[in-house]
Amino acid sequence: MKKVTFFIQILVVIGSTCSTSQVGNKEASLDTKSSQKKTLAHSPASTCRAGRDGRDGLNGLPGRDGEDGCPGQDGRDGLPGVRGPEGVKGIQGRPGSNGTKGDQGVPGKDGKDGINGVPGVNGTKGEQGPPGKDGSISGRHFKECAWRLSTHTDTGLLKDCKFNKSKTDSYLMVSISSNIFQATGGACSRWFVTFDGNECSPYPIEHAYYSNIANTDHIPFTLKGICKINKSGVVSVGFNVGKCNGGNSLGDAYTGWDQVTRIVIEEL
């Protein structure tokens, strides 16, 4: 780099010298113009020849970078590129909502009968089914429930019979038949009817049995009465036993020995 700088300085000096000589030559030519005019007609033709072109000078130092120009307009969209390789499989998305129900398909053809299977093992005995619907004869609406009942129950519900009442302002007539005893002297047992757990008001349907002495004789029993029930639909008619009204002690009751107990209900 020092050699290049030194060489450039030499060229500057040489250039300065040439400029000075050229100025002197110009002045000399100005002085001799008049004499040349005088002697021009007598002077011989000029014998000067054109000089050779000088050698190219050294390249100058690189200029500084210019300022950035203004951004050009966006070019047109290029052609679509080649399809790249498939990416990695993504995580499974959440289940979408149910689509609309499609049209019903064409019914299929009936299949052929299969081969008879091996006989199965007998199943266990099922529970007793619900009571049957109320019957009617010549417009009469009634129902009967019956059991082989033998119980020493002294107080509580013995049996109930469900009746579907058709009117809201009709009466129910109830008839119960069985046999009973009360085996404690000086005590009393009471058999009575309830409708949905309540006795008829103001007068209940009931039967009281007081025994002064211990007695185990079974006597025929019939309980019958009518009560207005202000509702329609299912009414639970219950056959109950318990303590008599008053100050008597609770008796030792027995119901239904060796006989069918029946409850017959009719809507009036």
Side-chain angles (χ1 to χ4, degrees):
M1 186 65 184
K2 290 181 179 180
K3 291 180 179 181
V4 173
T5 304
F6 178 72
F7 184 73
I8 290 172
Q9 291 175 353
I10 293 172
L11 290 178
V12 172
V13 172
I14 294 172
S16 304
T17 305
C18 292
S19 298
T20 306
S21 62
Q22 286 176 359
V23 172
N25 290 335
K26 286 181 181 180
E27 292 177 353
S29 61
L30 291 174
D31 294 335
T32 58
K33 277 183 183 180
S34 58
S35 61
Q36 284 178 358
K37 288 180 181 180
K38 294 178 181 181
T39 58
L40 183 61
H42 303 284
S43 296
S46 178
T47 59
C48 294
R49 291 180 298 178
R52 291 180 298 176
D53 294 335
R55 289 181 297 177
D56 295 337
L58 298 175
N59 294 331
L61 296 175
R64 291 180 298 172
D65 293 339
E67 296 181 355
D68 294 338
C70 298
Q73 295 181 347
D74 295 338
R76 291 181 297 177
D77 295 339
L79 298 175
V82 181
R83 183 177 179 180
E86 293 185 2
V88 181
K89 184 176 181 181
I91 301 173
Q92 183 175 358
R94 292 179 297 178
S97 56
N98 294 332
T100 56
K101 186 176 181 181
D103 297 333
Q104 184 175 356
V106 179
K109 297 180 181 180
D110 295 337
K112 296 181 180 180
D113 294 338
I115 302 173
N116 293 333
V118 180
V121 180
N122 292 333
T124 58
K125 185 177 180 180
E127 298 179 358
Q128 183 176 351
K133 296 182 179 179
D134 302 340
S136 62
I137 299 176
S138 300
R140 297 179 64 181
H141 184 197
F142 70 95
K143 182 177 182 179
E144 178 188 76
C145 297
W147 308 269
R148 290 269 178 197
L149 176 66
S150 295
T151 176
H152 278 281
T153 301
D154 292 331
T155 181
L157 178 67
L158 299 174
K159 285 292 182 182
D160 70 331
C161 182
K162 301 290 191 301
F163 185 83
N164 192 9
K165 194 167 174 286
S166 61
K167 300 177 182 179
T168 57
D169 58 350
S170 57
Y171 290 79
L172 290 183
M173 183 172 67
V174 179
S175 177
I176 301 176
S177 61
S178 186
N179 65 67
I180 60 172
F181 77 55
Q182 194 291 104
T184 300
C188 183
S189 293
R190 173 176 172 261
W191 286 260
F192 57 96
V193 178
T194 56
F195 302 91
D196 291 335
N198 301 308
E199 293 191 63
C200 190
S201 177
Y203 304 110
I205 303 173
E206 60 182 347
H207 179 97
Y209 183 6
Y210 174 83
S211 178
N212 191 34
I213 59 174
N215 185 4
T216 58
D217 293 339
H218 295 269
I219 63 173
F221 170 86
T222 301
L223 181 62
K224 190 172 184 178
I226 297 174
C227 186
K228 185 175 182 180
I229 307 298
N230 295 318
K231 65 170 285 187
S232 61
V234 177
V235 178
S236 178
V237 179
F239 179 34
N240 306 265
V241 66
K243 185 179 179 181
C244 294
N245 298 323
N248 297 298
S249 301
L250 177 64
D252 178 13
Y254 189 95
T255 307
W257 176 76
D258 199 23
Q259 155 181 359
V260 172
T261 298
R262 280 186 170 84
I263 300 178
V264 178
I265 308 166
E266 183 175 0
E267 185 174 7
L268 303 176

